[in-house]
Amino acid sequence: MEAKITCSDVAPDQVTTPGCNTTFASISQLLIELLANIFQLSLHEVDFKSKSISSTSRSNVKRLYCIRAVTKRWKGIIEGTPSFWTTVVSSLPLYVNEASILLSSNLPLSVISYRPEPGNPVVHPSDAKFLKLIEHTRSRWSVMVLGLYDSTSMSEYLRAPLPLLHTIIVRSTRFIFSFEPELKLLGGDRTNLRFVHISGVSILWSAGRFAQLKCLTLKNVAHDGLTGGELLDTISASPGLQVLNLEGIKTEIPLHSPTITLHHLRCIKLSFCAIHLVEYVLRQIRAPSCTRLCLTIGDEQGFDVPHFLKETFKSFHGTLRTIHQRLGESDLELDFGKFMWHTPDQSKMEGFSIYISGYFDPFSVRWVDSILRGGPGLRISFGDGGCDSEAMLRGVAPMQSVTKARIKDSRRATSIRAALQFLGKPLQTSTSLPSLPYLQELHLPPGGWDTRDVLEMVQSRFYACQWKDMDRTPLTIDMQRRWYERGYTPKKIPDLPTIVQIRKTNGVQCVKLVEEDDPVGMLAEVWKDEGSEPI
């Protein structure tokens, strides 16, 4: 029902509805606290870790200026709410930042200074003018976000004690990272520091205790500035550490380094780091509360992957199994030239992801199977070249933990058909059972196969195999729909009579035609004429 304002019977600050005598106060009559909350919700969410934090914060200030221009009351509310004005941004005019400082009362401030590469269309005041403006507020700085193109005077504040500082994010705005001279992380008191994110800059690490550090992220930090001993000292001095994220760190780890126990560490991410650093973290750091483990290893010469997975990774085997059981599923991808095992949603704080480039060996399948111990929920994803290795398929075929299979979309139709043929083949160890005998769900890509291929697979799987000593595992088949092939040529519509034959196969529970964004899909049921019921 549409609301309207009447001029004859209702006051100017009230709203009524047609056919109803009830009146409502308009937005101008809302409580100040409620209006302030509405204004807050109209602003962009601030994520200091985002690379767009400077433009987002600048946009929020512009929005506040627009809102305050609507009415005098709104202007008074916005200017009288100090929490709206606690961010100063180097890309804003100096008079805007000066007004923000005045309106923020004595609340802690977030300082965002991004120095883009030359030629950037956003005009920035000089560092000297920006620093002079905010110099007297140093005792109030709680967050520092620095995007530096070169070593500027702003970086000097990393050397000074800032008692309220709890978050510091420093990243290079260059494509090639080179700093002269190097930056010093912090000087003086840093016991309040909780979040440290350093990316693409060279840091001279200042020794000291980080008693309250919660999150440590280091990406592509030059190893000549950060030694392995300093890194370990920082980690061991942070008993409350919850997130450890290292990317591209090549520093040497001292021999005979001690074991560190971090009871609150929930997330470990190691990407393209030196192998000895990865081995140290997995061997020597005890993280009983870990629920998120992400590991990415490049193509390393002489890297003994089986020993790494079986021995170095041993202390985290239980963690992987527990996460898999709690989430109910994980995905093992069979793509030639890599090993990839992960949980579905890799963005949450619970899950795991293990990626090793250049490794495609049956041992990885046996290793996953040994961790899961036959527990259900593992999904096999067949990718390009995933069925090229007979040894790999022999390792996958008898796995009891595999209850789902996905054949990935590929330009190589031969890869898709090879995966379907594999699912119809009997086990070498027990010819009465098919490959993956516990398979319950099969997801097909939108192209690269036809319904005859699927029919041959299910008939071979359920009729050629006798299924001795085991009941047939009912199979649900998802056929992903896409009405156009690549290049926008119309796609052949699946043959309905063949789909009916597939569904009639004893062992096929149902066939679903699904969209990529609609996993529920439409059931393809076969009905009896007599009794009007599904077969």
Side-chain angles (χ1 to χ4, degrees):
M1 186 177 292
E2 184 180 359
K4 69 177 182 179
I5 299 179
T6 64
C7 298
S8 57
D9 301 324
V10 183
D13 58 355
Q14 292 180 326
V15 176
T16 187
T17 57
C20 179
N21 294 325
T22 305
T23 58
F24 305 92
S26 71
I27 192 171
S28 63
Q29 296 299 300
L30 293 178
L31 295 174
I32 291 177
E33 294 80 2
L34 186 55
L35 265 178
N37 286 335
I38 293 174
F39 297 155
Q40 181 65 56
L41 291 173
S42 73
L43 303 178
H44 298 293
E45 185 177 355
V46 174
D47 179 7
F48 291 112
K49 301 186 298 297
S50 172
K51 292 183 179 180
S52 61
I53 180 61
S54 180
S55 59
T56 299
S57 299
R58 189 170 64 246
S59 175
N60 280 344
V61 173
K62 290 181 178 179
R63 184 165 297 185
L64 287 173
Y65 271 74
C66 290
I67 295 174
R68 70 196 281 271
V70 175
T71 68
K72 290 183 178 180
R73 185 168 184 258
W74 287 19
K75 178 180 179 181
I77 292 173
I78 288 179
E79 293 184 352
T81 306
S83 59
F84 286 149
W85 307 100
T86 56
T87 301
V88 290
V89 188
S90 63
S91 58
L92 287 172
L94 293 175
Y95 72 87
V96 174
N97 285 321
E98 183 177 12
S100 295
I101 293 173
L102 292 174
L103 295 172
S104 64
S105 186
N106 290 318
L107 293 181
L109 291 176
S110 300
V111 178
I112 300 173
S113 176
Y114 254 56
R115 184 58 50 186
E117 57 185 315
N120 189 288
V122 179
V123 178
H124 288 245
S126 68
D127 282 340
K129 292 181 179 179
F130 181 64
L131 283 172
K132 183 178 179 180
L133 175 68
I134 63 176
E135 171 71 27
H136 67 285
T137 66
R138 279 178 50 194
S139 62
R140 296 167 54 194
W141 295 1
S142 62
V143 176
M144 284 186 68
V145 182
L146 306 181
L148 306 177
Y149 183 78
D150 51 23
S151 186
T152 63
S153 55
M154 192 65 206
S155 65
E156 294 299 313
Y157 278 87
L158 293 173
R159 303 174 183 268
L162 301 167
L164 293 185
L165 190 67
H166 59 73
T167 296
I168 182 168
I169 300 172
V170 184
R171 57 168 54 96
S172 172
T173 58
R174 289 173 176 250
F175 289 108
I176 300 177
F177 310 128
S178 176
F179 273 79
E180 291 293 342
E182 294 170 314
L183 305 178
K184 194 170 184 178
L185 177 63
L186 272 180
D189 183 12
R190 86 289 302 276
T191 55
N192 197 45
L193 201 61
R194 290 174 171 80
F195 186 100
V196 173
H197 180 117
I198 311 292
S199 176
V201 300
S202 183
I203 294 290
L204 286 175
W205 206 265
S206 178
R209 185 171 178 81
F210 294 82
Q212 299 190 57
L213 196 62
K214 303 296 183 185
C215 178
L216 177 62
T217 298
L218 302 176
K219 296 185 178 183
N220 301 310
V221 175
H223 62 276
D224 56 347
L226 171 65
T227 68
E230 290 167 337
L231 176 59
L232 297 187
D233 287 345
T234 299
I235 294 174
S236 62
S238 307
L241 192 66
Q242 297 178 7
V243 176
L244 177 63
N245 185 0
L246 305 178
E247 180 178 325
I249 305 300
K250 304 296 184 180
T251 185
E252 296 290 335
I253 296 296
L255 295 175
H256 311 296
S257 298
T259 298
I260 303 173
T261 300
L262 298 172
H263 293 284
H264 302 282
L265 187 59
R266 297 183 295 119
C267 176
I268 301 175
K269 293 184 179 182
L270 306 172
S271 301
F272 299 107
C273 294
I275 290 298
H276 53 269
L277 173 59
V278 175
E279 291 176 338
Y280 171 81
V281 171
L282 297 178
R283 282 183 181 273
Q284 301 297 106
I285 291 185
R286 300 288 182 263
S289 301
C290 182
T291 59
R292 185 90 184 115
L293 179 62
C294 297
L295 178 64
T296 302
I297 298 177
D299 194 356
E300 300 280 345
Q301 283 294 106
F303 179 39
D304 189 349
V305 178
H307 181 269
F308 174 82
L309 294 176
K310 187 177 181 180
E311 300 298 333
T312 306
F313 225 145
K314 192 172 185 179
S315 62
F316 285 91
H317 287 181
T319 300
L320 298 175
R321 181 166 51 252
T322 300
I323 294 173
H324 169 87
Q325 291 173 346
R326 187 178 293 127
L327 297 180
E329 61 179 332
S330 61
D331 195 333
L332 176 61
E333 299 195 15
L334 295 187
D335 277 327
F336 183 77
K338 69 178 182 181
F339 168 64
M340 182 73 173
W341 183 29
H342 60 88
T343 49
D345 191 344
Q346 302 177 45
S347 63
K348 295 183 178 179
M349 279 301 292
E350 184 172 21
F352 62 79
S353 172
I354 304 168
Y355 176 90
I356 302 178
S357 178
Y359 185 71
F360 187 71
D361 190 272
F363 175 82
S364 62
V365 174
R366 296 193 297 271
W367 177 73
V368 171
D369 199 32
S370 68
I371 290 177
L372 298 183
R373 298 175 180 173
L378 181 64
R379 181 173 75 171
I380 294 290
S381 292
F382 296 95
D384 281 339
C387 295
D388 291 350
S389 170
E390 287 294 330
M392 183 70 82
L393 294 180
R394 283 196 300 269
V396 170
M399 293 178 70
Q400 297 183 19
S401 55
V402 178
T403 56
K404 302 176 183 178
R406 175 175 67 113
I407 302 177
K408 297 164 68 175
D409 198 4
S410 172
R411 293 181 181 275
R412 293 174 54 189
T414 53
S415 293
I416 296 173
R417 290 192 171 94
L420 287 171
Q421 291 169 5
F422 164 72
L423 295 176
K425 288 181 179 179
L427 289 175
Q428 291 188 354
T429 55
S430 176
T431 55
S432 68
L433 294 175
S435 299
L436 302 179
Y438 293 87
L439 185 66
Q440 300 173 13
E441 298 179 19
L442 172 62
H443 186 87
L444 299 175
W449 56 273
D450 58 42
T451 50
R452 297 299 305 178
D453 298 326
V454 182
L455 179 62
E456 291 174 5
M457 182 272 292
V458 297
Q459 290 181 340
S460 176
R461 182 176 182 85
F462 292 109
Y463 292 159
C465 298
Q466 299 176 5
W467 289 81
K468 289 183 178 179
D469 303 322
M470 179 179 175
D471 293 334
R472 285 181 171 86
T473 305
L475 181 64
T476 296
I477 302 175
D478 292 347
M479 297 180 174
Q480 186 176 329
R481 294 180 295 169
R482 184 171 65 193
W483 304 119
Y484 291 92
E485 295 283 9
R486 295 183 180 91
Y488 298 99
T489 57
K491 183 181 182 299
K492 183 180 178 181
I493 297 175
D495 182 53
L496 182 58
T498 309
I499 291 180
V500 171
Q501 286 185 273
I502 294 170
R503 177 61 187 87
K504 282 183 176 180
T505 304
N506 183 17
V508 176
Q509 187 173 38
C510 72
V511 179
K512 294 190 293 184
L513 304 177
V514 301
E515 295 281 1
E516 185 174 2
D517 300 327
D518 177 23
V520 177
M522 299 185 301
L523 294 179
E525 293 282 5
V526 181
W527 287 75
K528 291 181 180 178
D529 292 335
E530 182 181 350
S532 186
E533 60 182 5
I535 296 175

